[in-house]
Amino acid sequence: DIVMTQSPTSLAVSLGERVTINCKSSQSVLYSSNNKDYLAWYQQKPGQPPKLLIYWASTRESGVPDRISGSGSGTDFTLTISSLQAEDVAVYYCQQFHTDITFGQGTRLEIK
Amino acid sequence: EVQLVESGGGLVQPGGSLSVSCAASGFTFKNYWMSWVRQAPGKGLEWVAITKQDDSEKRYPESVRGRFTISRDNAKNSLYLHMRSLRAEDTAIYFCARVGESGSWHLDYWGQGALVTVSS
């Protein structure tokens, strides 16, 4: 199984500041045949189902604000929020779909 | 508008069986892979099962393989998860999710979930 490890587990950031969440996979999720990384990011707010933010590591889902972006390749990935807004408070998960599906343990984002 | 509505959750005793359903609307159901993901109370997300458009290919993680069965009825736009030999650790909200297009197993739409509680 591919194990996904997120860091940090939680963080508190001031409004307007930059947020960086990391995700590391136990093996590469890059498919050489199409040069795509099989990695997605989700946002989950309390009492709601997860919401897709990013897939193919850096493709933003329709309707997701452009302050949210994804980067990385192979085994190391980053979700960045360029300027934290109050509505970004949530738990964020990475997910690999290179070999079946596994999720990271989540990163809780709060406002400082 | 894409909608996924789960039903059938409830309380079941350890060792028992239960099925949850997902009614899909707002898209051509038969054209998409579909999946189940669960979330234990206060915990993270765990993938449970996935099925191909025509139900011909299914995959499960080791934690539920042999106990859980995913199925679908494209004529009824419905997805199912049959669970047997249930354990306390299967207690969770079970989400139905649509699998994205273009060969990508990202999950682009989710239902609100159905709570399954395994307890005596």
Side-chain angles (χ1 to χ4, degrees), chain A residues 51-55 58-66 68, chain B residues 98 106 108-109:
Chain A
K51 173 188 174 184
L52 175 68
L53 298 175
I54 302 283
Y55 58 99
S58 61
T59 299
R60 197 179 294 113
E61 175 72 339
S62 175
V64 173
D66 59 10
I68 296 176
Chain B
R98 191 181 82 167
H106 64 269
D108 61 0
Y109 286 92

Side-chain angles (χ1 to χ4, degrees), chain A residues 17-95:
Chain A
E17 294 298 303
R18 185 181 188 88
V19 175
T20 299
I21 298 171
N22 300 302
C23 175
K24 187 174 184 67
S25 57
S26 60
Q27 62 191 73
S28 176
V29 298
L30 173 67
Y31 258 113
S32 55
S33 59
N34 59 8
N35 201 37
K36 289 188 173 184
D37 287 284
Y38 283 45
L39 189 286
W41 288 95
Y42 300 84
Q43 175 192 69
Q44 187 179 30
K45 298 181 179 180
Q48 296 184 18
K51 173 188 174 184
L52 175 68
L53 298 175
I54 302 283
Y55 58 99
W56 296 137
S58 61
T59 299
R60 197 179 294 113
E61 175 72 339
S62 175
V64 173
D66 59 10
R67 68 177 182 275
I68 296 176
S69 63
S71 62
S73 185
T75 61
D76 293 280
F77 301 90
T78 301
L79 179 73
T80 301
I81 304 174
S82 60
S83 176
L84 182 66
Q85 305 299 304
E87 61 263 33
D88 298 331
V89 170
V91 179
Y92 293 82
Y93 295 93
C94 61
Q95 173 224 343

